[in-house]
Protein backbone atom coordinates (compact mmCIF):
# COMPACT_ATOMS: atom_id res chain seq x y z
CA UNK A 1 0.00 0.00 0.00
CA UNK A 2 1.31 3.44 -0.83
CA UNK A 3 1.86 5.72 2.16
CA UNK A 4 -0.12 8.95 1.82
CA UNK A 5 2.10 11.96 1.39
CA UNK A 6 1.42 15.21 3.24
CA UNK A 7 1.81 18.27 1.06
CA UNK A 8 2.50 21.80 2.21
CA UNK A 9 2.10 25.16 0.48
CA UNK A 10 5.39 26.21 -1.06
CA UNK A 11 6.97 29.39 -2.23
CA UNK A 12 9.25 29.59 -5.25
CA UNK A 13 12.69 31.10 -4.68
CA UNK A 14 14.79 30.96 -7.79
CA UNK A 15 15.02 27.31 -8.81
CA UNK A 16 13.96 25.94 -5.42
CA UNK A 17 10.72 25.67 -3.49
CA UNK A 18 10.38 26.91 0.08
CA UNK A 19 7.60 25.89 2.44
CA UNK A 20 5.76 28.42 4.57
CA UNK A 21 7.59 27.49 7.76
CA UNK A 22 10.96 28.04 6.13
CA UNK A 23 9.80 31.33 4.65
CA UNK A 24 8.75 32.55 8.10
CA UNK A 25 12.19 31.62 9.42
CA UNK A 26 13.90 33.55 6.61
CA UNK A 27 11.69 36.59 7.26
CA UNK A 28 12.65 36.58 10.95
CA UNK A 29 16.32 36.44 9.99
CA UNK A 30 15.83 39.28 7.53
CA UNK A 31 14.14 41.47 10.15
CA UNK A 32 16.92 40.71 12.65
CA UNK A 33 19.50 41.61 10.02
CA UNK A 34 17.67 44.83 9.16
CA UNK A 35 17.08 46.13 12.67
CA UNK A 36 20.16 44.83 14.49
CA UNK A 37 17.97 43.23 17.15
CA UNK A 38 17.09 39.64 17.99
CA UNK A 39 14.29 38.11 15.99
CA UNK A 40 15.67 34.60 15.75
CA UNK A 41 17.03 33.66 19.16
CA UNK A 42 20.58 33.89 20.52
CA UNK A 43 23.31 34.57 18.01
CA UNK A 44 25.58 31.68 17.15
CA UNK A 45 28.97 32.54 18.65
CA UNK A 46 30.81 30.40 16.11
CA UNK A 47 29.37 31.98 12.96
CA UNK A 48 27.07 34.75 11.80
CA UNK A 49 23.30 34.39 12.04
CA UNK A 50 22.35 36.28 8.86
CA UNK A 51 24.46 37.50 5.93
CA UNK A 52 23.28 39.51 2.92
CA UNK A 53 25.55 39.55 -0.12
CA UNK A 54 25.16 42.28 -2.76
CA UNK A 55 27.19 40.56 -5.50
CA UNK A 56 27.02 36.76 -5.93
CA UNK A 57 30.62 36.83 -7.21
CA UNK A 58 31.72 36.91 -3.56
CA UNK A 59 29.69 33.86 -2.50
CA UNK A 60 32.25 31.15 -3.21
CA UNK A 61 34.92 32.80 -1.07
CA UNK A 62 32.41 33.73 1.63
CA UNK A 63 31.01 30.21 1.98
CA UNK A 64 34.52 28.89 2.64
CA UNK A 65 34.96 31.08 5.74
CA UNK A 66 33.94 30.55 9.35
CA UNK A 67 31.33 33.31 8.96
CA UNK A 68 28.92 30.69 7.58
CA UNK A 69 27.77 27.91 9.89
CA UNK A 70 25.07 25.27 9.79
CA UNK A 71 22.40 27.70 10.98
CA UNK A 72 23.52 30.76 9.02
CA UNK A 73 21.02 32.25 6.57
CA UNK A 74 22.81 33.70 3.54
CA UNK A 75 20.80 35.84 1.12
CA UNK A 76 22.02 36.84 -2.34
CA UNK A 77 20.48 38.03 -5.62
CA UNK A 78 18.69 35.38 -7.66
CA UNK A 79 20.83 33.56 -10.17
CA UNK A 80 23.65 33.30 -7.66
CA UNK A 81 24.60 29.83 -8.85
CA UNK A 82 25.41 28.58 -5.33
CA UNK A 83 23.93 25.53 -3.64
CA UNK A 84 20.28 26.56 -2.99
CA UNK A 85 20.35 24.71 0.31
CA UNK A 86 23.02 27.16 1.50
CA UNK A 87 21.95 30.44 -0.14
CA UNK A 88 18.49 32.01 -0.40
CA UNK A 89 17.89 33.95 -3.58
CA UNK A 90 16.00 37.23 -3.70
CA UNK A 91 14.85 39.54 -6.46
CA UNK A 92 15.27 43.31 -6.36
CA UNK A 93 17.56 45.05 -3.92
CA UNK A 94 17.99 45.74 -0.22
CA UNK A 95 20.66 48.42 -0.46
CA UNK A 96 18.79 51.22 -2.24
CA UNK A 97 16.12 53.51 -0.76
CA UNK A 98 12.70 53.56 -2.43
CA UNK A 99 13.28 50.07 -3.81
CA UNK A 100 11.91 46.60 -3.15
CA UNK A 101 13.16 43.07 -2.71
CA UNK A 102 11.18 39.87 -2.84
CA UNK A 103 11.58 36.23 -1.94
CA UNK A 104 9.49 34.06 -4.20
CA UNK A 105 5.96 35.21 -4.87
CA UNK A 106 4.77 35.65 -1.31
CA UNK A 107 7.13 38.06 0.46
CA UNK A 108 7.98 41.60 -0.56
CA UNK A 109 9.99 44.12 1.47
CA UNK A 110 10.08 47.79 0.55
CA UNK A 111 12.93 50.05 1.68
CA UNK A 112 12.45 53.78 2.29
CA UNK A 113 14.71 56.52 3.58
CA UNK A 114 13.44 58.19 6.76
CA UNK A 115 12.80 61.56 5.07
CA UNK A 116 10.51 59.99 2.48
CA UNK A 117 8.61 57.74 4.87
CA UNK A 118 5.97 60.26 6.05
CA UNK A 119 4.79 60.68 2.46
CA UNK A 120 4.60 57.03 1.44
CA UNK A 121 1.69 54.61 1.46
CA UNK A 122 2.43 51.41 3.35
CA UNK A 123 1.35 48.50 1.19
CA UNK A 124 3.24 45.75 2.99
CA UNK A 125 6.39 45.07 5.03
CA UNK A 126 8.53 48.20 4.91
CA UNK A 127 11.99 49.02 6.20
CA UNK A 128 12.78 52.67 7.02
CA UNK A 129 16.47 53.57 6.96
CA UNK A 130 18.52 56.51 8.17
CA UNK A 131 20.68 57.09 5.11
CA UNK A 132 22.37 60.38 6.01
CA UNK A 133 22.38 63.49 8.21
CA UNK A 134 19.02 64.76 6.94
CA UNK A 135 17.33 61.49 7.88
CA UNK A 136 18.93 61.57 11.32
CA UNK A 137 17.73 65.13 11.88
CA UNK A 138 14.14 64.14 11.09
CA UNK A 139 14.35 61.00 13.23
CA UNK A 140 15.55 63.08 16.19
CA UNK A 141 12.85 65.72 15.60
CA UNK A 142 10.20 62.98 15.73
CA UNK A 143 11.71 61.56 18.91
CA UNK A 144 11.87 65.02 20.53
CA UNK A 145 8.22 65.68 19.72
CA UNK A 146 7.20 62.34 21.17
CA UNK A 147 9.16 63.05 24.33
CA UNK A 148 7.81 66.58 24.79
CA UNK A 149 4.26 66.32 23.41
CA UNK A 150 3.45 62.61 23.47
CA UNK A 151 2.93 62.57 19.69
CA UNK A 152 4.62 59.61 18.00
CA UNK A 153 5.25 59.56 14.23
CA UNK A 154 2.55 57.57 12.46
CA UNK A 155 5.01 55.70 10.26
CA UNK A 156 6.99 54.37 13.23
CA UNK A 157 4.04 52.62 14.87
CA UNK A 158 2.49 51.02 11.78
CA UNK A 159 2.68 47.22 12.31
CA UNK A 160 4.18 46.57 8.87
CA UNK A 161 7.01 49.09 9.32
CA UNK A 162 10.35 48.60 11.06
CA UNK A 163 13.13 51.14 11.57
CA UNK A 164 16.53 49.81 10.50
CA UNK A 165 19.82 49.84 12.43
CA UNK A 166 18.32 50.58 15.83
CA UNK A 167 21.62 50.16 17.76
CA UNK A 168 23.03 53.18 15.94
CA UNK A 169 19.97 55.26 16.82
CA UNK A 170 20.16 54.85 20.57
CA UNK A 171 18.79 51.39 21.21
CA UNK A 172 22.22 50.27 22.41
CA UNK A 173 24.43 47.68 20.72
CA UNK A 174 22.99 44.87 22.86
CA UNK A 175 23.51 41.68 20.89
CA UNK A 176 24.35 43.41 17.62
CA UNK A 177 27.64 42.66 15.94
CA UNK A 178 29.25 40.30 13.42
CA UNK A 179 27.74 37.24 15.08
CA UNK A 180 24.23 38.60 14.52
CA UNK A 181 24.39 40.14 11.06
CA UNK A 182 26.75 41.01 8.22
CA UNK A 183 26.48 42.79 4.89
CA UNK A 184 28.92 42.17 2.01
CA UNK A 185 28.85 45.03 -0.49
CA UNK A 186 29.58 44.83 -4.19
CA UNK A 187 33.29 45.49 -3.59
CA UNK A 188 33.58 42.66 -1.05
CA UNK A 189 33.81 44.89 2.02
CA UNK A 190 32.00 43.65 5.11
CA UNK A 191 30.05 45.54 7.75
CA UNK A 192 27.08 44.79 9.98
CA UNK A 193 24.73 46.86 7.80
CA UNK A 194 24.36 48.63 4.49
CA UNK A 195 25.24 52.01 6.01
CA UNK A 196 27.97 50.62 8.22
CA UNK A 197 31.68 51.29 8.21
CA UNK A 198 33.96 48.55 6.92
CA UNK A 199 35.10 45.85 9.34
CA UNK A 200 37.07 43.85 6.78
CA UNK A 201 36.76 41.99 3.49
CA UNK A 202 35.56 38.64 2.22
CA UNK A 203 38.05 36.06 3.44
CA UNK A 204 38.45 37.61 6.89
CA UNK A 205 37.60 35.52 9.92
CA UNK A 206 34.77 36.12 12.34
CA UNK A 207 37.30 36.84 15.09
CA UNK A 208 38.92 39.54 12.95
CA UNK A 209 35.59 41.22 12.16
CA UNK A 210 34.57 41.04 15.80
CA UNK A 211 37.86 42.58 16.94
CA UNK A 212 37.40 45.50 14.54
CA UNK A 213 33.78 45.93 15.68
CA UNK A 214 34.84 45.96 19.33
CA UNK A 215 37.64 48.43 18.63
CA UNK A 216 35.37 50.93 16.88
CA UNK A 217 32.76 50.75 19.62
CA UNK A 218 35.35 51.12 22.37
CA UNK A 219 36.40 54.41 20.76
CA UNK A 220 32.85 55.83 20.87
CA UNK A 221 30.83 57.12 23.81
CA UNK A 222 27.48 56.45 22.07
CA UNK A 223 25.86 53.09 21.28
CA UNK A 224 27.12 51.29 18.15
CA UNK A 225 29.66 53.27 16.18
CA UNK A 226 29.52 50.77 13.30
CA UNK A 227 26.09 50.25 11.74
CA UNK A 228 25.66 53.86 10.54
CA UNK A 229 29.34 54.72 10.36
CA UNK A 230 29.47 55.11 6.58
CA UNK A 231 26.49 57.48 6.31
CA UNK A 232 26.75 59.64 9.46
CA UNK A 233 29.69 61.62 10.87
CA UNK A 234 30.42 59.85 14.15
CA UNK A 235 31.02 63.07 16.09
CA UNK A 236 27.59 64.40 15.09
CA UNK A 237 25.80 61.14 15.82
CA UNK A 238 27.48 60.83 19.20
CA UNK A 239 26.64 64.41 20.17
CA UNK A 240 22.95 64.00 19.33
CA UNK A 241 22.58 60.63 21.07
CA UNK A 242 24.35 61.75 24.23
CA UNK A 243 22.03 64.75 24.40
CA UNK A 244 19.11 62.30 24.41
CA UNK A 245 19.90 59.44 26.81
CA UNK A 246 16.22 58.45 26.62
CA UNK A 247 16.31 57.44 22.94
CA UNK A 248 16.42 53.74 23.80
CA UNK A 249 13.26 54.22 25.84
CA UNK A 250 11.63 56.07 22.96
CA UNK A 251 12.42 53.17 20.63
CA UNK A 252 11.04 50.72 23.22
CA UNK A 253 7.82 52.77 23.33
CA UNK A 254 7.63 52.63 19.54
CA UNK A 255 7.99 48.83 19.69
CA UNK A 256 5.21 48.56 22.26
CA UNK A 257 2.85 50.84 20.35
CA UNK A 258 3.46 48.91 17.15
CA UNK A 259 2.84 45.56 18.86
CA UNK A 260 -0.43 46.79 20.36
CA UNK A 261 -1.46 48.19 16.98
CA UNK A 262 -1.27 44.65 15.59
CA UNK A 263 -4.14 43.89 18.01
CA UNK A 264 -5.98 47.01 16.79
CA UNK A 265 -5.30 48.82 20.08
CA UNK A 266 -4.51 52.37 19.01
CA UNK A 267 -4.89 55.94 20.27
CA UNK A 268 -2.67 55.22 23.25
CA UNK A 269 -0.77 57.67 25.42
CA UNK A 270 2.60 56.82 26.95
CA UNK A 271 3.58 57.72 30.50
CA UNK A 272 6.67 59.93 30.52
CA UNK A 273 6.15 61.09 26.95
CA UNK A 274 4.38 64.42 27.17
CA UNK A 275 2.11 63.43 30.04
CA UNK A 276 1.30 61.07 32.90
CA UNK A 277 -1.84 59.12 33.65
CA UNK A 278 -1.68 60.78 37.07
CA UNK A 279 -0.79 64.47 36.53
CA UNK A 280 0.50 64.66 40.11
CA UNK A 281 3.53 62.69 38.87
CA UNK A 282 4.39 65.18 36.12
CA UNK A 283 7.26 66.67 38.13
CA UNK A 284 9.03 63.31 38.42
CA UNK A 285 11.67 62.71 35.71
CA UNK A 286 11.26 59.60 33.62
CA UNK A 287 13.71 56.72 33.53
CA UNK A 288 16.28 56.64 30.77
CA UNK A 289 16.59 52.87 31.10
CA UNK A 290 15.19 51.24 27.96
CA UNK A 291 14.55 48.02 29.90
CA UNK A 292 12.16 49.67 32.39
CA UNK A 293 8.53 48.66 31.68
CA UNK A 294 6.35 51.26 29.99
CA UNK A 295 2.77 52.21 30.75
CA UNK A 296 0.37 52.92 27.89
CA UNK A 297 -3.27 53.87 28.35
CA UNK A 298 -6.45 55.02 26.67
CA UNK A 299 -9.86 55.88 28.08
CA UNK A 300 -10.71 52.23 28.74
CA UNK A 301 -7.58 50.41 29.90
CA UNK A 302 -3.92 50.53 30.76
CA UNK A 303 -1.24 48.36 29.15
CA UNK A 304 2.09 47.51 30.74
CA UNK A 305 4.80 46.68 28.22
CA UNK A 306 8.02 44.92 29.22
CA UNK A 307 10.63 45.69 26.53
CA UNK A 308 13.00 42.86 27.44
CA UNK A 309 10.46 40.11 26.78
CA UNK A 310 7.99 41.93 24.55
CA UNK A 311 5.13 40.93 26.84
CA UNK A 312 2.14 43.22 27.33
CA UNK A 313 -0.33 43.11 30.24
CA UNK A 314 -3.76 44.75 30.15
CA UNK A 315 -4.92 46.31 33.44
CA UNK A 316 -7.80 48.52 34.50
CA UNK A 317 -7.13 52.24 34.94
CA UNK A 318 -7.07 52.05 38.74
CA UNK A 319 -4.34 49.40 38.58
CA UNK A 320 -2.58 51.41 35.88
CA UNK A 321 -2.37 54.36 38.24
CA UNK A 322 -0.65 52.17 40.83
CA UNK A 323 1.70 50.74 38.19
CA UNK A 324 2.67 54.23 37.09
CA UNK A 325 3.38 55.32 40.66
CA UNK A 326 5.71 52.36 41.18
CA UNK A 327 7.48 52.86 37.85
CA UNK A 328 7.98 56.59 38.32
CA UNK A 329 8.96 56.73 42.00
CA UNK A 330 10.85 53.44 42.13
CA UNK A 331 9.56 52.37 45.56
CA UNK A 332 6.31 51.36 47.23
CA UNK A 333 6.93 53.88 50.02
CA UNK A 334 7.17 56.87 47.66
CA UNK A 335 4.42 55.50 45.43
CA UNK A 336 1.99 55.50 48.38
CA UNK A 337 1.73 59.28 47.96
CA UNK A 338 0.01 58.71 44.62
CA UNK A 339 -1.90 55.41 44.95
CA UNK A 340 -3.48 53.39 47.74
CA UNK A 341 -1.20 50.90 49.55
CA UNK A 342 -3.72 48.16 48.78
CA UNK A 343 -3.60 48.80 45.03
CA UNK A 344 0.19 49.08 45.10
CA UNK A 345 0.54 45.77 46.92
CA UNK A 346 -1.85 44.03 44.55
CA UNK A 347 -0.18 45.16 41.32
CA UNK A 348 3.32 44.61 42.71
CA UNK A 349 2.42 41.07 43.73
CA UNK A 350 0.82 40.30 40.35
CA UNK A 351 3.76 41.58 38.31
CA UNK A 352 6.36 40.04 40.59
CA UNK A 353 4.67 36.65 40.14
CA UNK A 354 4.70 37.31 36.39
CA UNK A 355 8.45 37.97 36.47
CA UNK A 356 8.18 41.73 35.89
CA UNK A 357 9.85 44.21 38.25
CA UNK A 358 8.09 47.55 38.62
CA UNK A 359 9.83 49.16 41.61
CA UNK A 360 13.53 49.57 42.32
CA UNK A 361 14.66 49.71 38.67
CA UNK A 362 15.35 52.46 36.23
CA UNK A 363 16.94 54.73 38.80
CA UNK A 364 18.84 56.54 36.05
CA UNK A 365 16.75 59.47 34.87
CA UNK A 366 16.58 61.29 31.59
CA UNK A 367 17.68 64.88 31.27
Amino acid sequence: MTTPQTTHPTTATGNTMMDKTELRRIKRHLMSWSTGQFEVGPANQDSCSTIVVADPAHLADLLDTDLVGDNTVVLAPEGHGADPSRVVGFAGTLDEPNAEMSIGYDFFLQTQDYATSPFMSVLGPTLVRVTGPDDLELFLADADRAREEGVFPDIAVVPAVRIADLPGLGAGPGVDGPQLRLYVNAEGEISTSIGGCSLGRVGDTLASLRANWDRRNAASTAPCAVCLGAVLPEADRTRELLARPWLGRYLAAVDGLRMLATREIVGLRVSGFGQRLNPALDHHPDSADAATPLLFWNDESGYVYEPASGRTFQVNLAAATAVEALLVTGSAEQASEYASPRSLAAVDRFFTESGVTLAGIGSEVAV
Side-chain angles (χ1 to χ4, degrees):
M1 182 176 66
T2 303
T3 302
Q5 299 295 310
T6 301
T7 60
H8 301 279
T10 56
T11 296
T13 58
N15 297 321
T16 67
M17 299 297 287
M18 182 182 300
D19 65 33
K20 298 295 185 181
T21 300
E22 178 66 3
L23 180 59
R24 284 194 294 270
R25 185 178 78 90
I26 299 303
K27 287 162 61 177
R28 288 196 298 272
H29 273 266
L30 186 56
M31 287 301 101
S32 183
W33 176 84
S34 300
T35 63
Q37 294 187 320
F38 272 160
E39 300 278 349
V40 292
N44 186 336
Q45 296 301 304
D46 299 323
S47 60
C48 179
S49 180
T50 312
I51 305 174
V52 172
V53 181
D55 186 343
H58 298 297
L59 277 174
D61 291 336
L62 177 74
L63 294 173
D64 283 338
T65 68
D66 68 345
L67 305 182
V68 182
D70 292 339
N71 298 315
T72 302
V73 170
V74 180
L75 296 103
E78 286 183 342
H80 50 70
D83 183 347
S85 68
R86 302 189 70 190
V87 181
V88 177
F90 64 85
T93 180
L94 277 163
D95 55 9
E96 295 179 13
N98 311 313
E100 185 178 75
M101 68 85 74
S102 62
I103 299 176
Y105 305 116
D106 293 334
F107 178 71
F108 298 83
L109 178 65
Q110 187 175 12
T111 300
Q112 293 282 353
D113 59 277
Y114 197 93
T116 301
S117 60
F119 310 104
M120 72 180 185
S121 297
V122 178
L123 302 177
T126 301
L127 189 66
V128 175
R129 288 191 175 280
V130 168
T131 63
D134 290 344
D135 284 338
L136 179 65
E137 182 179 353
L138 291 169
F139 167 80
L140 294 172
D142 282 343
D144 288 341
R145 187 183 182 200
R147 186 70 171 182
E148 295 165 9
E149 303 175 23
V151 178
F152 286 76
D154 291 338
I155 195 65
V157 297
V158 173
V161 175
R162 300 296 298 271
I163 298 174
D165 301 320
L166 295 173
L169 297 173
V175 297
D176 195 21
Q179 283 111 323
L180 182 69
R181 58 175 183 155
L182 289 172
Y183 172 68
V184 182
N185 69 15
E187 289 73 39
E189 291 183 296
I190 300 178
S191 186
T192 53
S193 69
I194 290 171
C197 53
S198 178
L199 298 175
R201 296 189 57 82
V202 172
D204 289 347
T205 65
L206 182 62
S208 173
L209 298 180
R210 178 71 199 201
N212 288 334
W213 189 84
D214 288 339
R215 184 163 50 252
R216 285 187 176 272
N217 280 301
S220 176
T221 52
C224 194
V226 173
C227 67
L228 293 172
V231 296
L232 294 178
E234 180 58 16
D236 295 345
R237 187 191 72 92
T238 296
R239 183 185 65 252
E240 299 293 353
L241 264 61
L242 292 181
R244 299 168 177 84
W246 45 264
L247 275 173
R249 191 151 175 79
Y250 163 73
L251 292 170
V254 165
D255 281 343
L257 290 170
R258 187 181 63 250
M259 290 177 64
L260 286 164
T262 65
R263 295 156 51 186
E264 299 184 354
I265 302 171
V266 295
L268 295 166
R269 287 156 283 182
V270 186
S271 179
F273 287 82
Q275 58 195 311
R276 299 283 191 194
L277 174 59
N278 181 356
L281 288 163
D282 284 347
H283 66 284
H284 281 269
D286 196 48
S287 171
D289 186 350
T292 300
L294 286 145
L295 174 69
F296 308 138
W297 81 92
N298 54 26
D299 292 339
E300 290 78 37
S301 297
Y303 300 88
V304 180
Y305 173 63
E306 185 188 33
S309 66
R311 292 184 297 169
T312 304
F313 302 83
Q314 183 176 359
V315 296
N316 62 41
L317 290 177
T321 300
V323 167
E324 183 180 54
L326 286 167
L327 288 173
V328 173
T329 66
S331 74
E333 180 180 358
Q334 294 184 61
S336 64
E337 297 180 31
Y338 307 98
S340 73
R342 182 176 180 180
S343 295
L344 292 169
V347 299
D348 188 47
R349 181 170 59 252
F350 170 79
F351 282 100
T352 297
E353 291 174 352
S354 301
V356 179
T357 302
L358 298 179
I361 60 174
S363 56
E364 178 186 5
V365 297
V367 295

